[in-house]
Amino acid sequence: MTSKKVYFVGKTNGYLRMFETYGWLITEDIKESDLVQFTGGADVTPILYNQHQHSKTHCDSVRDKREVFFFLLALKYKKPMAGICRGGQFLNVMCGGAMWQHVLNHTFDHEVTDYLTGKTFKASSTHHQMMIPSKDKKDYTILMTAENITISKEKCAQIEQENKPIIAYGHKQDLEALYYSENKCLCFQPHPEFEKVDYAELTKTYFQYLDTVY
């Protein structure tokens, strides 16, 4: 258990209860927080990672502008950050990464592997996009992957982006969780806040990541 304080950016449905269950305190003062937590929602605006908007990308530019403000504020106060689903994708983009704007087979539960322990367990999944790590920065660590999800039996993934299909050969894993050490950002695509027995290991792993990386 912990007595650390978390500051939420975005809607808090489900997240409050999850953090309280793990002993965290909720604060409305970002300056006194130990963690700034970004939550789920609409797709990240592609202009933030220099791409055209795909027809299946649905974003909220007002929310993005607001969350860019809080991201920069957290950097100013040197606060660790974490993001779940859209929140994780947002932090990935803010750390120099990009997004596959539409992928297949990620809107249902699937198996993931924790790189730190080698354990495989079930993860929730509601996203139709996928994180692409920063090409310029080398400070990210892969924490969790999913295998053979967007990948066909021919070992290639058909991914739609910028209104044209892209065949991404050689992909072995889909990246589900990353950590950028320079900005102290945990990017986590599944939903550990979903209350279901099948996700108990996923939720536990999320808080283990918080303890490990912070």
Side-chain angles (χ1 to χ4, degrees):
M1 302 296 282
T2 178
S3 59
K4 292 182 179 180
K5 296 180 180 180
V6 57
Y7 178 88
F8 288 103
V9 180
K11 296 181 179 179
T12 58
N13 295 346
Y15 301 97
L16 285 169
R17 186 161 48 250
M18 178 181 71
F19 271 88
E20 288 173 344
T21 298
Y22 275 79
W24 285 67
L25 303 175
I26 314 303
T27 180
E28 296 186 2
D29 184 352
I30 193 172
K31 292 182 180 180
E32 71 172 17
S33 68
D34 297 292
L35 174 71
V36 177
Q37 175 71 57
F38 293 80
T39 60
D43 300 327
V44 178
T45 305
I47 194 172
L48 290 177
Y49 49 96
N50 299 315
Q51 285 186 12
H52 299 295
Q53 185 169 327
H54 188 275
S55 60
K56 294 184 180 179
T57 296
H58 302 286
C59 48
D60 183 344
S61 59
V62 174
R63 178 176 180 180
D64 282 314
K65 290 178 182 178
R66 179 177 181 271
E67 297 197 354
V68 167
F69 169 81
F70 280 104
F71 174 83
L72 296 175
L73 194 62
L75 287 183
K76 176 182 177 180
Y77 295 137
K78 298 181 180 180
K79 299 296 183 180
M81 290 174 269
I84 291 172
C85 197
R86 169 235 150 72
Q89 295 173 347
F90 171 78
L91 291 179
N92 172 60
V93 167
M94 295 305 294
C95 289
M99 298 299 303
W100 294 115
Q101 288 194 47
H102 187 63
V103 301
L104 306 176
N105 301 328
H106 267 274
T107 56
F108 52 80
D109 293 358
H110 57 266
E111 295 293 312
V112 295
T113 300
D114 174 11
Y115 256 38
L116 300 183
T117 65
K119 291 183 179 179
T120 298
F121 46 86
K122 183 175 289 187
S124 59
S125 187
T126 63
H127 58 88
H128 73 110
Q129 298 195 338
M130 183 65 60
M131 294 186 294
I132 302 173
S134 171
K135 293 180 180 179
D136 300 322
K137 296 182 178 180
K138 304 298 182 183
D139 69 322
Y140 70 84
T141 301
I142 297 173
L143 298 177
M144 183 182 290
T145 62
E147 295 189 18
N148 300 319
I149 301 300
T150 61
I151 307 171
S152 72
K153 292 181 180 180
E154 291 75 27
K155 298 298 180 182
C156 67
Q158 172 117 9
I159 304 172
E160 295 179 22
Q161 190 153 307
E162 297 189 9
N163 297 316
K164 61 182 180 180
I166 296 175
I167 305 298
Y169 292 98
H171 279 203
K172 296 181 180 180
Q173 299 156 325
D174 292 341
L175 305 183
E176 293 284 5
L178 303 169
Y179 176 65
Y180 288 91
S181 58
E182 182 178 348
N183 293 333
K184 295 184 178 180
C185 289
L186 172 62
C187 312
F188 198 87
Q189 287 191 146
H191 281 277
E193 82 280 9
F194 285 177
E195 294 182 340
K196 188 176 179 181
V197 174
D198 290 349
Y199 303 149
E201 190 66 31
L202 178 72
T203 307
K204 177 182 177 182
T205 299
Y206 184 70
F207 283 90
Q208 288 176 337
Y209 285 168
L210 291 182
D211 290 338
T212 300
V213 300
Y214 302 140

